[in-house]
Amino acid sequence: MQEARPFWTLARREALAGGLFVAPQLAGVLVFVLAPLALVFWYSLHEWNVLANTFEFTGAQNYQDLLQDATLPPVLAASAVFAAGLVVFNLSLALLLAVLLNQKLVGITAFRTLFFSPVVVSLVAWTIVWGFLLQANGGINGVLKLAGIEGPNWLRMPATAMASVIVVQVFKNVGLNMILLLAALQGVPRELYEAARIDGASAWRQFRRITLPMISPTILLTSVITVVGALQVFAQIAVLTQGGPGHSTTVLVYYLYQQTFQFHRFGYGSTLAIVLFAIVALLTLAQWQLRKRFVFHEQS
Amino acid sequence: MQGRLSPRTQAALYGLMCLLLVPFVFPTWWMVTSSVKPISEIFAFPPQLWPAHADFSSYQQVFKLQPFARQYWNSAWIAAVVTLGTLGVASMAGYAFARIRFPGANALFVVVLTGLLIPSEVTIVPLFQMFRALGLVNTHWPLVLIPIFGAPCVFATFIMRQFYITLPAELEEAARVDGLGRFKIFRTIALPLARPALASVAIFTFLHSWNLYLEPIVFLSTPTLFTLPQALTQFTDAYGGPMWNIQLAAATLTALPVLLVFVVAQKQFIEGLAHTGLKG
């Protein structure tokens, strides 16, 4: 006969506690992330018009439509240009600011606060002000006029609309990347610079050979955040340009919104969502690979 | 990089920073000052940095043209509930994934992490249909439930987990010897120590909810239910053109409270957000 052991052993109690603690989050992910992901795939195989109340299985029809959609190439191009422009401009400005704000200067905290402040200004408010400034007779052209330059109608010309949207977005959010990079800069051990100075390395060389490799994990992190964020941009486009002129600023999420909620093509909208998901998944995977190859690791 | 900088270098750095500041500070300045300019002065040439005749009538218009006070309240209570809910869900799940050894923990963590990979824009169509089937479209439920339990909360869980991992095990062992259960340990020991992580999660959750735009315009159609970002774009004239002075007054009312809180608590804000990215 075995001796009777208490049912609630430590291991069982731990399992119960663990299960209870993660249950809300797990249920949430199942209901609000994974189930909708499965559904969006299922919807993408259907022709679904909410107004006409039709929902019929069409197999790969939406995906064939996707290949023949003449609007899709400019939409993907706009998304790519937006993401690329944002990453390049955002990361280089963030790095410049982080290095500047890492200097020992009187009042540097005030500068940090001011450079960071757009992050806490609500997004649509910020976008509205820039829309106001970028009009044909707006503040920016007013300033240019003082310098004798006749500015364009920034948001109504294909060549300048995309650049404007990128600029508005960069100044809104660059503060976040700036702070992450600043934290990384402050984590670089001082001794490395001292050793390099003794060896007579120039400031630029120190930056290239010490600073950049040491903060490379943070650069990668900020670039991931920025690219994925760029692919999700919606409010700025909706407020500033409504995707125009032409399709020059119609990014993927804006197109998805138009097709689904303005033209009521839920099936095709779901197909576009699958495209967005595929792009985000591929990028995340690629960046994970990059991490292995290019990011400098400490011994730890 | 280190060491003392020469006065000339210092002057150059200050000059460069002031120049770079213009696009960061000027829009907010322009928004606040223009909101008290009469419409004729808004488009004056040369542009006026300071309003010559302060005119607060656009602020009255904001509340007359739309149920703006109501919309303000909508945004505020949604953001508050979402922040509290996220703190609850994420601190519990983050704690369990970091400190409790239970079967399947790693597999479950991977399942939860998929939320980081799937932007909420991908799932907006099925989410809309789910809430429509439940009769909850044009209510605040989707704006509260999706962030607390869905993809946005996963990032918060991840941050909480990263924080709890760094807590020394001895802290809890003593409590365990005294016979405290897991929930008691969590509530009396781990949670109070996690205040910095909780603060950063609270800050970014609040900002995220306050800024949400796609979800409100998808789910809400009644002006009294609108949130602020959605309401801001509604101040248009009969031709659909924006009424600038009123939009700017409404934008100022939306941006200023958070900005003021930020100025008061900026150390907490900046350190909190830096904290979230340190150990990516």
Side-chain angles (χ1 to χ4, degrees):
Chain A
M1 271 301 268
Q2 259 191 329
E3 217 173 307
R5 282 196 300 166
F7 179 75
W8 285 112
T9 57
L10 182 63
R12 283 206 169 112
R13 270 185 290 153
E14 288 283 273
L16 177 70
L20 287 177
F21 272 55
V22 302
Q25 171 80 97
L26 198 64
V29 167
L30 290 177
V31 174
F32 294 115
V33 180
L34 293 178
L37 186 68
L39 277 174
V40 81
F41 185 72
W42 178 240
Y43 291 170
S44 76
L45 304 174
H46 292 78
E47 172 74 48
W48 184 354
N49 187 319
V50 172
L51 290 186
N53 204 12
T54 56
F55 183 73
E56 44 190 296
F57 186 80
T58 52
Q61 186 60 48
N62 280 324
Y63 291 89
Q64 280 169 17
D65 290 352
L66 195 70
L67 297 175
Q68 279 154 15
D69 185 346
T71 315
L72 194 66
V75 165
L76 292 178
S79 299
V81 169
F82 183 80
L86 196 63
V87 168
V88 171
F89 192 22
N90 187 322
L91 286 187
S92 42
L93 185 61
L95 194 56
L96 171 70
L97 291 175
V99 170
L100 274 175
L101 295 174
N102 197 28
Q103 307 299 325
K104 289 194 171 55
L105 289 169
V106 180
I108 202 77
T109 0
F111 279 100
R112 279 181 204 164
T113 307
L114 289 171
F115 278 116
F116 190 79
S117 63
V119 174
V120 299
V121 173
S122 76
L123 175 64
V124 171
W126 177 261
T127 311
I128 283 176
V129 189
W130 275 93
F132 175 61
L133 288 169
L134 287 165
Q135 292 174 92
N137 56 348
I140 289 182
N141 284 347
V143 174
L144 287 177
K145 208 164 158 188
L146 290 176
I149 305 167
E150 198 65 44
N153 192 348
W154 299 94
L155 298 171
R156 297 284 168 268
M157 287 168 54
T160 53
M162 179 56 93
S164 305
V165 180
I166 291 173
V167 165
V168 173
Q169 172 72 355
V170 165
F171 290 124
K172 171 77 174 77
N173 273 342
V174 74
L176 276 175
N177 285 344
M178 172 189 90
I179 288 298
L180 295 180
L181 289 167
L182 185 61
L185 285 178
Q186 291 177 344
V188 181
R190 289 282 157 82
E191 306 86 69
L192 290 177
Y193 293 111
E194 275 154 31
R197 254 201 306 277
I198 292 167
D199 291 346
S202 67
W204 173 243
R205 208 177 151 78
Q206 289 178 34
F207 181 74
R208 282 275 315 272
R209 292 300 168 92
I210 301 172
T211 312
L212 276 184
M214 289 301 288
I215 64 170
S216 58
T218 309
I219 294 182
L220 187 77
L221 174 77
T222 49
S223 68
V224 176
I225 297 174
T226 310
V227 172
V228 174
L231 288 169
Q232 291 172 261
V233 72
F234 174 75
Q236 298 87 318
I237 303 289
V239 173
L240 281 178
T241 63
Q242 289 89 48
H247 292 294
S248 61
T249 59
T250 307
V251 293
L252 193 50
V253 173
Y254 193 75
Y255 191 50
L256 188 167
Y257 171 80
Q258 280 187 317
Q259 288 294 324
T260 313
F261 296 103
Q262 291 184 340
F263 307 144
H264 303 286
R265 297 179 65 194
F266 279 62
Y268 193 60
S270 301
T271 313
L272 293 169
I274 294 288
V275 173
L276 177 66
F277 172 60
I279 294 175
V280 171
L282 278 176
L283 279 173
T284 314
L285 212 66
Q287 272 161 329
W288 200 252
Q289 293 299 318
L290 277 178
R291 186 190 181 103
K292 284 190 199 150
R293 286 189 55 191
F294 292 116
V295 174
F296 174 86
H297 289 284
E298 269 184 287
Q299 293 87 323
S300 62
Chain B
M1 192 126 293
Q2 259 74 37
R4 207 160 273 280
L5 297 161
S6 73
R8 278 183 68 173
T9 321
Q10 287 196 16
L13 288 177
Y14 281 122
L16 181 59
M17 284 195 292
C18 288
L19 194 70
L20 285 171
L21 262 185
V22 174
F24 289 85
V25 175
F26 181 70
T28 310
W29 173 264
W30 199 245
M31 167 177 78
V32 178
T33 53
S34 297
S35 69
V36 294
K37 286 176 189 168
I39 193 84
S40 60
E41 219 180 299
I42 282 187
F43 291 106
F45 181 82
Q48 300 297 316
L49 281 178
W50 186 255
H53 314 283
D55 171 10
F56 289 89
S57 63
S58 50
Y59 282 86
Q60 292 175 334
Q61 290 296 313
V62 167
F63 291 93
K64 269 190 201 146
L65 294 173
Q66 275 201 79
F68 198 72
R70 180 71 177 271
Q71 292 160 341
Y72 221 104
W73 169 245
N74 294 341
S75 268
W77 86 260
I78 290 174
V81 170
V82 165
T83 304
L84 283 175
T86 303
L87 286 176
V89 171
S91 62
M92 300 248 303
Y95 176 78
F97 284 129
R99 309 218 59 107
I100 306 179
R101 284 162 179 259
F102 60 102
N106 289 336
L108 292 181
F109 188 57
V110 171
V111 171
V112 167
L113 276 190
T114 53
L116 281 182
L117 194 71
I118 300 160
S120 46
E121 290 78 6
V122 168
T123 50
I124 190 82
V125 177
L127 285 173
F128 179 77
Q129 291 304 328
M130 281 162 59
F131 282 101
R132 203 170 73 129
L134 295 169
L136 295 176
V137 163
N138 208 23
T139 71
H140 288 151
W141 284 105
L143 306 185
V144 170
L145 292 177
I146 296 172
I148 292 180
F149 294 101
C153 185
V154 173
F155 187 51
T157 296
F158 185 69
I159 302 234
M160 293 311 298
R161 174 181 172 271
Q162 296 303 92
F163 180 84
Y164 286 127
I165 281 178
T166 63
L167 286 185
E170 299 84 57
L171 277 173
E172 289 175 310
E173 270 159 23
R176 187 86 67 83
V177 173
D178 289 348
L180 261 68
R182 266 296 173 191
F183 192 74
K184 204 94 190 250
I185 294 175
F186 168 72
R187 213 172 51 93
T188 57
I189 298 171
L191 201 58
L193 286 171
R195 277 174 67 179
L198 291 170
S200 57
V201 168
I203 289 165
F204 80 72
T205 308
F206 184 89
L207 288 177
H208 181 263
S209 174
W210 193 252
N211 279 332
L212 219 52
Y213 185 70
L214 176 63
E215 282 82 355
I217 68 168
V218 164
F219 284 110
L220 304 178
S221 51
T222 309
T224 50
L225 292 173
F226 282 1
T227 59
L228 286 176
Q230 195 179 8
L232 289 184
T233 58
Q234 305 290 315
F235 294 102
T236 50
D237 59 28
Y239 306 100
M243 298 188 284
W244 283 114
N245 52 340
I246 301 171
Q247 279 208 356
L248 290 171
T252 303
L253 286 172
T254 306
L256 226 46
V258 187
L259 205 58
L260 290 177
V261 172
F262 166 67
V263 170
V264 174
Q266 49 102 2
K267 205 169 135 69
Q268 187 67 261
F269 261 78
I270 291 181
E271 279 173 7
L273 287 164
H275 175 90
T276 62
L278 271 178
K279 293 265 188 285

